[in-house]
Amino acid sequence: TKQLAFAVFARLVLAKYDILDGLLSDITPVVTAALSADDTSGTLQTASSSLVKTNLKLDVLEFLRVLVQRSSVSDSATEFLIATKDGLRENASSKAFQVPSASFTAAAGLVKLLSNAAHQSSMEVAQFVPWTEDMAQCAASLTGTDDQDLRSSVNVFIGTVLEKFGDHISAPTAQQLLLILTELKGGIVHAPAVLGAFVQAISKPTALPQEIVVAVAPSVLQVIDPLLRHGSASVVTVALNVVKALAGYGTETLASAGDHILTSIIAIISKSPESPPASALLAFAAVCPTVSEENMRSVTAKLLKLLSATTVYDGQSAEALGELFETVGRSFPGLMDSWKDGIIENWSQTHARYYKQRKDSSNEAIQVPFPTAMLTNAAKSINSLYTGFYEAQGQQWTSEFLESLVFTSPRSTEDIALVCLGLRALGYAASQGWLAQSDQLAAQLDAHIQSKHDDVRDEAAAALGKYVGSYPATFAALFASATASDSEGASASGRLQAVNVAVDQIVGTGHDKTSADAMWAQITAYAQSSQGPLPDVLAQSLATFAVTFPQVFIPALAEHVSSSGDAKIKAFYITAFRTVLADRHLSAECDAELKNVLPQVLASIDDESINIRRLSLLALFTVIQSKAALIKDVISTIEPALFRQTVVNESLIRIINMGPVKKRIDDGLDARRCAFQCVHMLVRMLPGAANTDLLAESIVRGIADDHDIRLLVLQVIHETVSTQAHMYAERLDEIAASVRKVQATKLSPKAVSQEIEKHHAILKSSVSVLVALEPVAKAATSPSAEFDKLLAEVMDPSNGVLS
């Protein structure tokens, strides 16, 4: 009963940390009694009763561990902790399984709470210092234990004591404990746990005095030197973390070991240059200030070659790589030219290999991918390098070092590489808000958009968009140039892409509502008045407005869809709406606004334009597939229009003469196919929501329709046959008639192999309908003679291809 009570207490405290504070005085006697109970069996105590007491202790210790996971402490909690702390110490020396480990885990949480209380001046922690030192000495005596859980918990406890109480305990004790965290008792296999606690203890911010860390640094460096060359990734990582943490105390902690450690780190990076561990990059950055310029100069070429191959996929590695180059720029101003030239040279070589592969590729269907990851690496590296340099020189960030690249005329392959690097780096600088406004620079970016080289145009569009994104007042001029009558071809496409990037920067990232209103008005005014085709990239831009400010722009977008009389304009707004619907990470505000306007937008399913009907059906499919809950309450008002689109519209069928052959063209087939896709998704995502009569009629029609539609109908049957058997049983005669109609189609005597294969597929799909509904026919109370007859014909082996 007590065990269960403390399990409940722990859950209550997890839900509300101070819920028991008023009752702690009542709980205290039970806790102290449980912790002081003898948990070893003997002449007066059976093994079973000892086990019961041990289990109760473990539950009490778990309750204490949860209780101390709080940021503040009340007076009643303080009295409770004073009364129970000695029980933790007593059980830290217990011989019972798991009890010492649980005691140290709870004690580590208590030390953290005491540290927080001391910072908040809500508790006098001096009374806990003797207890903390006593617990730490006990932990120190257990660091060589064979119990892995206990070894881990004592290391964490020592690290926590030094991190949180390092300035409260005596200096000799602190130094002794810190040295214990460098002793690999039991072998290197324990290095990650032991040295991990060491890193915890010294990583800033920490209460451990700096002079203690500096004093133990030489002995620690001797320990980690062989670990940096170890084969285990976890061992190498913790050794690198030690280096980084020590470097945080100044160059004196690494003393003359910096050059030696740098060599070890380069060896680590060389083992996996494409994805070096972030810990190696961070350790390199930390060691840089302790390395001699001569040594750094000697390894520059090799290091840059390695780093040029690095492909960064995660944020931690990207941040580490940036910190590395910033540190180099900050620490070695005399090597700036060497590092910059090395970055440019390595990127140029990478681009030259790409260009040669693309030129030598004889198969046009095989696209040689542009080395965008390498370009990203080079651009971010050169920006970070100069960021550190300018910081060390006390200068404002300037793009002068990039302008020589950007203002290059891309005539040769090498020139193209330089321009792409400069444009990508400028784009990143603009997204950080570092670029000064410059009409000359903007004009040069626009000039590159008109380049005959695809790669240059793409990079220029992204850079110009980000530049305009950092200066919203220039958006109107960019949009005007992108939509001007004399802007055409690749230039117009590049400027429109820049517009999209700028919208994403200003609206999507910057949430600039004032600018957003003016930009929306400019884009929609152009859409309303444009005489030419409206590009999808602008529809994507409108979706960004709607997603960022849903309460304003989703209703506005829906109004444009419903009020536009021109089919081209309506299609443009529906495309924007579909882009919003396709986003699977919309906010609750977006969902609420979409739910309100869906009936208004989807009313276009009945539009007179077949293209608008098709686009509206695609929008319906998207919302049923990804956000079915939004449409569940209004599907009954939408489905009549949906099922009307499953009917063959004879006015959209035309016959064309192809020499001696007449070919039937159904201009309504694409829209009808979309309608059946919606029906299939409807019965899958919202079972039972569809009107049974309308659904059944569409299935009967669809069986006799185009082959692709019949395959969709077959999927609908499979989805619904188990729940709608009665619906099918009532219409077996109609279904049989539709199947008979399909099977009556004849092949031309001059049919080619492709036509024969298609005809066989049509027959097979019609038989699949019969097979899917055979169980329904057998179970029907009123059998269908026509269906049974048709099924028997199919089962007859003498029936040729059909059987």
Side-chain angles (χ1 to χ4, degrees):
T1 304
K2 289 178 182 177
Q3 282 184 249
L4 291 171
F6 279 106
V8 173
F9 285 160
R11 298 217 174 185
L12 287 171
V13 172
L14 277 173
K16 192 173 186 297
Y17 74 90
D18 60 351
I19 194 170
L20 294 179
D21 280 13
L23 300 172
L24 288 176
S25 58
D26 298 326
I27 299 174
T28 300
V30 186
V31 172
T32 54
L35 292 178
S36 61
D38 185 4
D39 54 12
T40 57
S41 58
T43 55
L44 299 178
Q45 185 169 242
T46 65
S48 60
S49 63
S50 172
L51 181 61
V52 169
K53 291 181 179 180
T54 298
N55 288 337
L56 176 57
K57 279 188 178 183
L58 291 174
D59 282 308
V60 170
L61 290 169
E62 173 62 13
F63 163 66
L64 291 175
R65 183 191 70 80
V66 173
L67 183 69
V68 296
Q69 289 181 359
R70 52 199 288 172
S71 57
S72 60
V73 59
S74 63
D75 291 342
S76 58
T78 301
E79 294 175 5
F80 175 78
L81 295 173
I82 291 172
T84 56
K85 62 180 175 60
D86 291 334
L88 291 176
R89 172 62 185 88
E90 182 180 345
N91 283 277
S93 303
S94 172
K95 301 299 182 183
F97 181 60
Q98 293 185 333
V99 170
S101 175
S103 299
F104 280 112
T105 300
L110 176 54
V111 169
K112 291 179 182 179
L113 177 60
L114 294 173
S115 174
N116 291 336
H119 287 302
Q120 298 169 7
S121 301
S122 59
M123 181 195 294
E124 178 52 57
V125 297
Q127 58 188 316
F128 287 91
V129 172
W131 170 84
T132 303
E133 289 189 333
D134 189 26
M135 282 289 292
Q137 292 297 343
C138 177
S141 68
L142 295 171
T143 54
T145 180
D146 294 331
D147 185 335
Q148 298 300 317
D149 289 338
L150 179 56
R151 184 196 293 265
S152 176
S153 63
V154 297
N155 283 325
V156 170
F157 177 76
I158 293 173
T160 303
V161 168
L162 294 173
E163 177 194 9
K164 301 297 183 181
F165 256 51
D167 54 351
H168 284 82
I169 61 179
S170 66
T173 299
Q175 185 164 333
Q176 174 208 1
L177 293 174
L178 192 58
L179 284 171
I180 286 174
L181 294 182
T182 66
E183 298 172 1
L184 303 183
K185 298 176 181 177
I188 290 180
V189 67
H190 300 295
V194 178
L195 293 177
F198 178 86
V199 172
Q200 174 193 357
I202 72 169
S203 293
K204 295 181 177 180
T206 178
L208 199 59
Q210 175 158 327
E211 56 270 18
I212 293 177
V213 178
V214 173
V216 303
S219 59
V220 177
L221 290 173
Q222 290 181 1
V223 172
I224 67 163
D225 181 49
L227 303 186
L228 290 170
R229 299 185 295 277
H230 198 268
S232 168
S234 60
V235 171
V236 171
T237 297
V238 77
L240 290 168
N241 290 338
V242 170
V243 170
K244 179 177 177 296
L246 285 174
Y249 287 84
T251 57
E252 58 182 324
T253 54
L254 298 181
S256 59
D259 290 342
H260 179 66
I261 292 173
L262 179 66
T263 302
S264 299
I265 294 174
I266 292 175
I268 293 169
I269 294 174
S270 65
K271 290 180 180 178
S272 53
E274 292 186 356
S275 57
S279 54
L281 300 177
L282 290 171
F284 183 99
V287 168
C288 271
T290 68
V291 176
S292 66
E293 184 167 322
E294 179 183 355
N295 191 32
M296 182 60 74
R297 189 186 303 277
S298 68
V299 301
T300 292
K302 178 181 179 181
L303 186 60
L304 285 173
K305 194 70 176 177
L306 290 172
L307 295 178
S308 69
T310 301
T311 304
V312 175
Y313 292 109
D314 61 281
Q316 185 181 14
S317 294
E319 184 178 344
L321 192 63
E323 185 173 330
L324 185 156
F325 279 95
E326 275 192 39
T327 305
V328 170
R330 189 183 305 117
S331 304
F332 301 100
L335 299 180
M336 284 296 295
D337 288 341
S338 299
W339 278 72
K340 181 191 74 172
D341 293 345
I343 293 171
I344 293 173
E345 175 63 22
N346 287 324
W347 159 244
S348 296
Q349 292 176 4
T350 299
H351 182 268
R353 288 192 295 271
Y354 150 74
Y355 192 81
K356 185 176 186 301
Q357 289 173 359
R358 190 174 71 170
K359 186 177 179 181
D360 294 345
S361 177
S362 57
N363 189 344
E364 294 184 0
I366 301 176
Q367 295 291 325
V368 179
F370 182 77
T372 187
M374 304 306 182
L375 178 56
T376 297
N377 182 5
K380 288 188 174 181
S381 296
I382 201 167
N383 273 358
S384 297
L385 184 70
Y386 274 89
T387 298
F389 174 74
Y390 289 140
E391 181 184 315
Q393 303 301 312
Q395 300 178 18
Q396 288 289 336
W397 199 95
T398 173
S399 62
E400 288 181 5
F401 68 97
L402 294 175
E403 291 180 2
S404 61
L405 304 178
V406 173
F407 282 86
T408 299
S409 181
R411 295 188 179 90
S412 65
T413 304
E414 186 176 355
D415 291 339
I416 293 172
L418 295 178
V419 171
C420 286
L421 175 58
L423 291 171
R424 181 70 67 94
L426 272 176
Y428 287 133
S431 63
Q432 297 296 322
W434 295 343
L435 284 186
Q437 188 167 357
S438 167
D439 293 340
Q440 183 184 13
L441 179 59
Q444 181 64 19
L445 295 177
D446 186 72
H448 282 311
I449 285 179
Q450 302 172 57
S451 171
K452 63 180 181 180
H453 303 288
D454 295 346
D455 299 333
V456 173
R457 285 200 305 270
D458 291 343
E459 293 299 326
L464 181 58
K466 290 178 180 180
Y467 169 80
V468 171
S470 62
Y471 295 101
T474 63
F475 178 83
L478 171 62
F479 187 81
S481 67
T483 56
S485 58
D486 59 348
S487 183
E488 55 186 9
S491 297
S493 176
R495 287 170 181 151
L496 287 170
Q497 188 57 45
V499 166
N500 192 42
V501 172
V503 168
D504 188 61
Q505 188 99 345
I506 298 168
V507 180
T509 304
H511 294 262
D512 184 345
K513 179 62 171 61
T514 303
S515 298
D517 290 334
M519 293 160 64
W520 172 276
Q522 189 175 13
I523 295 174
T524 54
Y526 168 75
Q528 297 295 122
S529 61
S530 175
Q531 300 300 310
L534 293 168
D536 285 348
V537 69
L538 288 184
Q540 295 172 17
S541 295
L542 291 187
T544 301
F545 287 90
V547 170
T548 309
F549 301 107
Q551 295 175 333
V552 176
F553 294 116
I554 286 181
L557 189 57
E559 181 60 29
H560 278 297
V561 171
S562 61
S563 63
S564 296
D566 185 287
K568 175 193 68 176
I569 298 173
K570 186 184 283 277
F572 171 71
Y573 288 119
I574 293 175
T575 300
F577 197 83
R578 283 180 55 212
T579 305
V580 176
L581 291 174
D583 190 332
R584 293 181 177 270
H585 304 288
L586 295 177
S587 64
E589 292 81 1
C590 279
D591 285 346
E593 293 298 331
L594 287 172
K595 187 174 183 178
N596 290 337
V597 303
L598 277 174
Q600 179 184 359
V601 173
L602 296 177
S604 297
I605 290 174
D606 263 339
D607 194 87
E608 62 182 19
S609 165
I610 184 64
N611 186 46
I612 296 301
R613 296 201 295 271
R614 182 183 64 84
L615 290 174
S616 300
L617 287 166
L618 288 173
L620 175 61
F621 177 83
T622 301
V623 74
I624 296 175
Q625 181 185 45
S626 59
K627 297 186 176 295
L630 298 184
I631 205 167
K632 182 178 181 181
D633 296 336
V634 296
I635 193 62
S636 60
T637 64
I638 296 171
E639 61 180 354
L642 166 62
F643 286 107
R644 279 195 290 274
Q645 301 310 312
T646 63
V647 180
V648 176
N649 187 340
E650 296 294 338
S651 68
L652 294 173
I653 296 175
R654 51 196 171 92
I655 305 297
I656 62 173
N657 294 322
M658 300 177 65
V661 180
K662 291 185 176 181
K663 186 172 179 65
R664 182 176 182 269
I665 303 296
D666 186 350
D667 292 328
L669 179 59
D670 281 348
R672 201 161 65 253
R673 187 186 295 112
C674 290
F676 275 101
Q677 287 172 338
C678 290
V679 172
H680 174 225
M681 195 54 60
L682 177 61
V683 299
R684 169 180 286 185
M685 303 303 295
L686 295 172
N691 180 286
T692 304
D693 292 334
L694 295 175
L695 176 61
E697 291 168 6
S698 71
I699 289 172
V700 172
R701 284 194 301 272
I703 291 172
D705 206 327
D706 183 81
H707 177 57
D708 289 346
I709 288 178
R710 186 163 44 258
L711 294 179
L712 287 168
V713 169
L714 190 57
Q715 294 181 56
V716 173
I717 292 173
H718 284 306
E719 292 279 355
T720 57
V721 68
S722 61
T723 58
Q724 303 279 359
H726 181 69
M727 176 187 77
Y728 290 107
E730 291 179 341
R731 293 169 174 82
L732 288 174
D733 286 345
E734 298 173 62
I735 291 171
S738 292
V739 172
R740 180 79 70 182
K741 182 179 178 181
V742 174
Q743 294 180 350
T745 57
K746 301 297 183 182
L747 265 176
S748 167
K750 298 181 179 180
V752 297
S753 60
Q754 188 176 5
E755 292 172 323
I756 295 172
E757 289 176 6
K758 182 176 181 181
H759 183 67
H760 286 175
I762 290 172
L763 294 178
K764 183 178 179 180
S765 65
S766 69
V767 172
S768 296
V769 172
L770 297 176
V771 172
L773 294 176
E774 182 184 9
V776 175
K778 287 182 177 180
T781 55
S782 300
S784 168
E786 181 62 25
F787 188 93
D788 292 342
K789 179 183 177 182
L790 190 56
L791 189 60
E793 291 176 5
V794 170
M795 300 295 290
D796 186 352
S798 65
N799 210 355
V801 174
L802 190 60
S803 64

